[in-house]
Amino acid sequence: MAKAKKVWSGRFGVGTDTQVEAYTASIPFDWRLYPYDVQGSIAYARALMKAGVLTGVEAGRIIRGLEEIKKELDERRLDPDPAHEDIHVYIEGRLTEKIGEVGGKLHTGRSRNEQVALDLRLYLRAETDEIVREIRALQEALVEQAGAHLDVIIPGYTHLQRAQPILWAHQLLAYVEMLRRDAARFRDSLQRVTVMPLGSGALAGTAYAIDRVALAEELGFPEVSRNSIDAVSDRDFALEFLAAASITMMHLSRLCEEVILWASAEFAFVDIPEAFATGSSLMPQKKNPDVAELARGKAGRVFGDLISLLTAMKGLPLSYNRDLQEDKERVFDAVDTLRGTLQVLAPLVRGLRVNADRMRQATEEGFLNATDAADYLVSKALPFRRAHEVVGKIVRYCIEHKKRLEELSVHELRRYSRLFDKDFHDFITIEASLKRRGVVGGTAPEQVRKAILAARADLKKEAGKK
Ligand code: ARG
């Protein structure tokens, strides 16, 4: 496109310094808003026509011109010269170039301040839908892993110390729950994203008879903004998006941390599929979990995006200030990082190979059934606090004599409490331990099976909604 003079050049005697152009331009990154900018402008042209500002013929020419520009840009024929400032000026300039002076009527009563707010809202609505879908795909991968390995037992950990036996499926379903809350947060945030700002003008409201409700309806937004000053200066919806993205990345990072641990020789619980691992340039034997490490590392970027925008916002007087242009790279970075991470983790999780023997073996060392031994004494009417102390002493004895709890004879046990009997050994098997935890949300195989069915039903219902 030809180098257009500035849309605001009338008041200026000299041209803009090229350094200033480069410093202030947002077109190098906000070009990605073009489909939404076109969509918003088409709707606005119709509103101008209904308000009597544009004739039907004029509106028709503008709308056709905008549609052509959208096609041009779909084919990536964009010239991101900083002289164009931003995507809004670029599209308006290109429109006038294509259809002549009438293109200059599109911006009647409109400001880029409301335009950019609308574009970002339309963009975030579309991306949020994709993110919710991608979260679901990862949940499906986790549920699939869980369902395929219902009989696999691992040590559950607290403080990264072996604690109690659990089902591997139960651990995976914990991540399904985190992701369920994440998706809900994103879906809920749409209520604040889909508020239509056009008609706010630069800050005071437009002087033209724009039917804002009809405009909102056309754009599929259920609400119009209620205060023009707030409408051009609010970025809460972007902050909410970044907060939801940050929490999701935190969850993904925790999952990745576990994958990294599980894939280490020290744990050797899982094998990462080769196509999702990397090697070393020096050590020929290495197979590294770089994907999981990068996901863990990239969580920090998204937290940074959130803090960066919060910081940009905190000192702004009403209404629009150019600082707000800093929102876009933060939002785009978070979208790219989160979506890229979700997309790569789903097949990685699906491809994890489980070393069930190693997992089982790990549950047999470390007194994971000590709680069950205490529960045994409770079943014989000993107060729990006393039972805890008795078993603590027995564990100490076992450590000194290199024995497991299940290897102790009733005779040995009775030295600590008369309540021990022949039924003790059956009471403290891993299977019995799991089975007793049959509360809703517990790790008993029966409950976990139900949880998998419930998760599958949930995911199917969610998939049906969109
Ligand atoms: N590129 C600007 C942004 O992203 C668009 C709004 C510019 N408005 C203005 N009055 N300079 O915020």
Side-chain angles (χ1 to χ4, degrees):
M1 188 169 84
K3 207 162 190 156
K5 66 173 204 256
K6 297 277 176 290
V7 288
W8 37 261
S9 64
R11 182 239 176 271
F12 285 77
V14 295
T16 317
D17 182 280
T18 48
Q19 260 197 82
V20 171
E21 267 183 352
Y23 189 73
T24 57
S26 54
I27 194 153
F29 48 86
D30 70 10
W31 61 266
R32 17 172 147 182
L33 294 177
Y34 79 84
Y36 310 103
D37 199 71
V38 167
Q39 187 188 1
S41 285
I42 289 176
Y44 191 68
R46 288 208 184 96
L48 282 178
M49 181 184 77
K50 281 196 258 165
V53 177
L54 295 178
T55 66
V57 173
E58 287 171 332
R61 282 178 63 197
I62 288 175
I63 290 168
R64 269 192 305 282
L66 287 166
E67 282 165 350
E68 276 171 35
I69 292 168
K70 161 92 169 36
K71 260 193 225 120
E72 280 174 22
L73 293 177
D74 284 344
E75 287 155 25
R76 286 282 173 275
R77 268 189 277 141
L78 174 81
D79 159 23
D81 187 329
H84 298 313
E85 284 191 69
D86 57 29
I87 190 65
H88 325 293
V89 170
Y90 173 87
I91 289 176
E92 190 187 322
R94 185 79 188 101
L95 181 67
T96 306
E97 203 171 68
K98 285 174 92 72
I99 67 171
E101 274 260 89
V102 62
K105 292 193 176 186
L106 172 63
H107 212 55
T108 311
R110 185 174 69 164
S111 162
R112 276 183 290 164
N113 301 349
E114 52 180 345
Q115 193 178 353
V116 73
L118 174 69
D119 290 5
L120 195 60
R121 286 168 181 277
L122 288 166
Y123 167 80
L124 276 179
R125 174 176 63 181
E127 292 295 334
T128 297
D129 285 346
E130 293 302 311
I131 287 167
V132 167
R133 206 176 41 70
E134 286 160 359
I135 289 176
R136 195 165 62 234
L138 178 55
Q139 288 178 301
E140 280 161 4
L142 287 159
V143 172
E144 202 175 288
Q145 265 289 347
H149 298 101
L150 251 170
D151 52 343
V152 173
I153 302 163
I154 59 165
Y157 295 80
T158 65
H159 314 267
L160 202 54
Q161 305 288 320
R162 288 177 191 168
Q164 292 177 336
I166 56 168
L167 289 190
W168 154 252
H170 196 48
Q171 179 102 351
L172 295 177
L173 289 179
Y175 289 101
V176 174
E177 286 303 304
M178 295 174 223
L179 292 167
R180 194 167 64 85
R181 293 192 296 274
D182 293 330
R185 254 184 293 276
F186 277 111
R187 266 189 256 108
D188 184 67
S189 75
L190 284 177
Q191 280 180 61
R192 266 93 47 203
V193 169
T194 55
V195 176
M196 206 291 297
L198 290 188
S200 300
L203 79 161
T206 187
Y208 297 85
I210 297 297
D211 183 346
R212 301 191 63 218
V213 173
L215 244 175
E217 236 163 67
E218 175 164 356
L219 294 167
F221 280 15
E223 258 186 82
V224 301
S225 55
R226 298 174 182 208
N227 180 297
S228 59
I229 302 169
D230 180 49
V232 297
S233 58
D234 164 40
R235 291 295 181 275
D236 293 4
F237 64 96
L239 289 167
E240 253 189 276
F241 175 86
L242 293 174
S246 293
I247 296 173
T248 308
M249 283 302 294
M250 176 273 288
H251 290 149
L252 300 180
S253 178
R254 293 184 75 174
L255 171 62
C256 287
E257 168 66 14
E258 298 221 280
V259 169
I260 293 162
L261 282 173
W262 293 335
S264 69
E266 282 65 22
F267 277 79
F269 285 0
V270 300
D271 256 330
I272 294 172
E274 281 191 7
F276 287 82
T278 46
S280 157
S281 59
L282 176 71
M283 299 166 281
Q285 86 284 12
K286 293 287 295 244
K287 180 180 155 201
N288 293 328
D290 290 32
V291 169
E293 292 166 73
L294 276 168
R296 192 176 57 184
K298 284 173 190 285
R301 291 171 71 115
V302 179
F303 303 170
D305 292 330
L306 169 63
I307 297 301
S308 172
L309 184 56
L310 273 173
T311 311
M313 296 299 297
K314 72 179 268 294
L316 296 188
L318 294 177
S319 58
Y320 179 86
N321 299 270
R322 192 65 176 269
D323 316 43
L324 291 175
Q325 181 169 290
E326 286 292 307
D327 61 358
K328 274 165 292 293
E329 283 165 293
R330 306 283 62 82
V331 166
F332 297 157
D333 181 67
V335 166
D336 292 345
T337 307
L338 176 58
R339 292 194 57 188
T341 306
L342 287 166
Q343 286 164 13
V344 75
L345 286 185
L348 186 147
V349 164
R350 194 166 273 123
L352 286 178
R353 264 199 307 126
V354 171
N355 190 345
D357 291 343
R358 273 294 297 226
M359 290 170 163
R360 170 83 199 203
Q361 215 182 341
T363 61
E364 284 164 6
E365 283 151 31
F367 308 102
L368 276 78
N369 50 1
T371 312
D372 301 285
D375 287 338
Y376 172 84
L377 292 173
V378 168
S379 78
K380 306 284 177 188
L382 194 66
F384 176 74
R385 195 44 66 207
R386 288 270 301 121
H388 187 290
E389 198 190 339
V390 170
V391 176
K393 289 194 170 126
I394 296 174
V395 166
R396 198 181 166 80
Y397 170 83
C398 283
I399 293 168
E400 277 164 12
H401 294 84
K402 296 202 169 21
K403 284 186 167 189
R404 298 176 183 177
L405 285 173
E406 51 273 34
E407 288 167 351
L408 299 178
S409 66
V410 175
H411 179 73
E412 279 172 299
L413 289 161
R414 284 215 172 126
R415 274 189 241 142
Y416 296 89
S417 168
R418 296 284 180 86
L419 296 170
F420 284 110
D421 219 329
K422 289 193 299 291
D423 54 352
F424 173 72
H425 294 89
D426 284 343
F427 197 95
I428 63 159
T429 63
I430 288 173
E431 280 68 23
S433 168
L434 291 170
K435 198 167 167 204
R436 259 193 304 279
R437 286 164 171 77
V439 286
V440 172
T443 197
E446 221 14 73
Q447 277 302 331
V448 174
R449 204 165 291 129
K450 278 188 199 158
I452 288 176
L453 291 178
R456 280 194 189 127
D458 259 17
L459 291 170
K460 216 165 148 191
K461 203 169 90 198
E462 286 305 321
K465 275 188 198 160
K466 259 270 149 198

